[in-house]
Amino acid sequence: MKSMIWSVIAAIVVIGGISGYFIYDHAKKEASLNETLETLFLNIDEEKLNIEYGSSFDPESLIRDHEGELTVEGSVDTKKTGDYPVTFRLTKEDQYHQTASKEFTYTAHVKDTQNPVITFTEESFSFETGSTFVPDAIVQSVKDAVDGDLKEAETLDKGTWIIEHDLDLNQAGDYTVTVKAMDLNGNISEASCPVSIHNAEPDFGLIAGSADYPYYIRINRALNTVTIYTIDDNGYYTIPYMAMVCSTGDATPLGTYNTTAQYRWLSLYGGVYGQYATRIVGAILFHSVPYFTENPADLEYDEYNKLGTAASMGCVRLCVRDVLWIYNNCPVGTAVEFYDDYESPGPLGKPEPITIDTSDERRGWDPTDPDPANPWN
């Protein structure tokens, strides 16, 4: 009986030892696994989780540093905006060949931050009234960096562009053509281009030039503008050279004439005087704004301030700078043409006239007179 009891006790001791060994071994393995697990880490550049639409992307490019064998789950379609989960799994075996594993999940954001690009064929456009003009012909391209060429449409929607304008090809004026574009992700661009509609210049034909007469003068009576033309490479007066503002009058004729004489000072109708006069036809001359006497300091300044409007008896009044230029550069015999155009002053436009403050003590002088005694200089 006693021997049986001792046998049972011995069995219990053995079984307890074995059981204790297994408990101890399990604890060691669990501690080893936990220690190995603690060594696993991942450091990423989170800014790179914001991905530009259409760009290339490799999830591993996010990683700055890590410990453990790396695998990646999840894909990112950079040609489709949205949020994409990306999981990084790190594994490592401990000394007992147990596999420690950690997962890190991040969300990648594909965003389209680029607007469509609108390009015009020119920076601005100018057309004559009555022209045939197709507004979208001024558009060179409307493109998205990823989507490519967008399509023209009547209403703005994703992947399209539209053109808006209020052009009236029969009415001279300044207009704006606007293009609006929307890419496939809803980004919108807008760009505008100025368009000028102008009246056609009167066709005065091809007039042959001459080395003796380098300039041809045209005077628009309606808008009191002088345009000087010079000779092109083919020998014709077609190149607009300079424009001047003038004053004509009721007796200013139409037609083409050749100048006949020039005068440093000339007595004019009404007992006044003009500087640098050039006779055009009969009593019609180019001359300065009148002076009360043959004194460049005795200007009719109230008349000077009428330059640019019809104010003469029929002659062509100019500031001293301009009338002196004709006097010095356009020899007797130069052709002068008078015409009317109420829409366009000429190809170079109408210069802004100079005005004189009539309370200024210098008012007796033409501000453009190159005379050394001119107090305006």
Side-chain angles (χ1 to χ4, degrees):
M1 180 71 177
K2 288 182 178 180
S3 62
M4 183 182 294
I5 292 172
W6 283 110
S7 296
V8 170
I9 292 171
I12 291 172
V13 170
V14 170
I15 292 170
I18 293 171
S19 176
Y21 171 78
F22 280 112
I23 291 171
Y24 172 74
D25 187 60
H26 176 74
K28 285 180 66 178
K29 287 182 177 180
E30 185 175 359
S32 174
L33 186 63
N34 288 334
E35 288 177 3
T36 303
L37 194 63
E38 288 297 320
T39 67
L40 299 178
F41 74 90
L42 178 69
N43 182 11
I44 72 164
D45 185 348
E46 295 195 25
E47 289 187 3
K48 292 184 177 180
L49 289 168
N50 295 311
I51 305 162
E52 182 60 36
Y53 173 67
S55 65
S56 60
F57 174 69
D58 177 2
E60 293 193 19
S61 68
L62 298 172
I63 299 171
R64 287 175 171 166
D65 194 11
H66 75 283
E67 177 65 33
E69 185 176 341
L70 177 70
T71 58
V72 182
E73 293 180 359
S75 61
V76 177
D77 183 356
T78 63
K79 291 194 175 180
K80 184 177 180 181
T81 59
D83 296 335
Y84 297 85
V86 180
T87 299
F88 299 90
R89 181 176 290 108
L90 295 171
T91 59
K92 188 177 183 180
E93 284 191 355
D94 66 2
Q95 59 181 325
Y96 297 102
H97 304 292
Q98 301 176 106
T99 301
S101 176
K102 271 187 182 180
E103 287 187 356
F104 302 83
T105 299
Y106 298 91
T107 301
H109 311 281
V110 177
K111 300 178 181 180
D112 187 355
T113 64
Q114 299 186 57
N115 294 332
V117 177
I118 300 165
T119 306
F120 294 101
T121 56
E122 301 287 346
E123 293 183 357
S124 62
F125 296 85
S126 180
F127 300 94
E128 292 184 351
T129 52
S131 298
T132 300
F133 172 55
V134 180
D136 57 8
I138 73 174
V139 180
Q140 180 170 309
S141 65
V142 182
K143 288 186 176 183
D144 179 82
V146 179
D147 305 331
D149 291 323
L150 306 184
K151 297 179 180 179
E152 185 178 6
E154 293 185 0
T155 57
L156 189 61
D157 201 354
K158 290 183 177 181
T160 69
W161 62 275
I162 62 172
I163 192 163
E164 298 176 342
H165 67 87
D166 57 352
L167 288 171
D168 182 351
L169 294 172
N170 296 314
Q171 179 64 46
D174 294 323
Y175 299 89
T176 300
V177 173
T178 299
V179 172
K180 296 179 180 179
M182 182 188 296
D183 66 20
L184 293 177
N185 292 311
N187 293 317
I188 295 176
S189 290
E190 181 176 319
S192 296
C193 185
V195 176
S196 174
I197 306 298
H198 60 273
N199 291 299
E201 282 296 306
D203 183 7
F204 59 96
L206 290 176
I207 301 171
S210 165
D212 293 330
Y213 303 103
Y215 301 104
Y216 184 92
I217 304 174
R218 301 191 79 223
I219 301 164
N220 183 350
R221 299 186 316 173
L223 296 181
N224 289 283
T225 308
V226 177
T227 303
I228 311 292
Y229 289 80
T230 190
I231 302 169
D232 63 25
D233 291 339
N234 295 317
Y236 296 96
Y237 296 111
T238 62
I239 301 175
Y241 183 75
M242 70 167 59
M244 305 171 178
V245 64
C246 68
S247 286
T248 58
D250 292 339
T252 304
L254 289 172
T256 303
Y257 309 91
N258 295 91
T259 60
T260 60
Q262 292 183 319
Y263 314 89
R264 173 63 182 84
W265 281 95
L266 185 67
S267 176
L268 307 174
Y269 181 83
V272 293
Y273 299 85
Q275 288 202 75
Y276 305 110
T278 296
R279 189 173 301 281
I280 303 169
V281 57
I284 306 301
L285 308 108
F286 290 113
H287 61 70
S288 67
V289 174
Y291 293 78
F292 292 109
T293 61
E294 288 189 27
N295 181 347
D298 201 12
L299 178 70
E300 287 193 71
Y301 45 82
D302 287 327
E303 292 298 309
Y304 191 87
N305 287 343
K306 296 177 183 178
L307 278 172
T309 65
S312 76
M313 297 292 293
C315 289
V316 181
R317 295 179 180 177
L318 297 160
C319 68
V320 168
R321 175 194 60 212
D322 292 342
V323 77
L324 177 59
W325 189 92
I326 291 175
Y327 185 88
N328 286 333
N329 294 280
C330 299
V332 170
T334 295
V336 179
E337 178 185 347
F338 294 93
Y339 71 98
D340 286 333
D341 182 349
Y342 290 88
E343 299 294 333
S344 172
L348 300 180
K350 181 177 182 176
E352 189 70 25
I354 298 170
T355 56
I356 294 174
D357 180 354
T358 56
S359 66
D360 195 301
E361 293 181 356
R362 298 169 294 179
R363 62 185 180 272
W365 282 85
D366 180 325
T368 70
D369 192 330
D371 190 314
N374 188 349
W376 295 101
N377 293 333

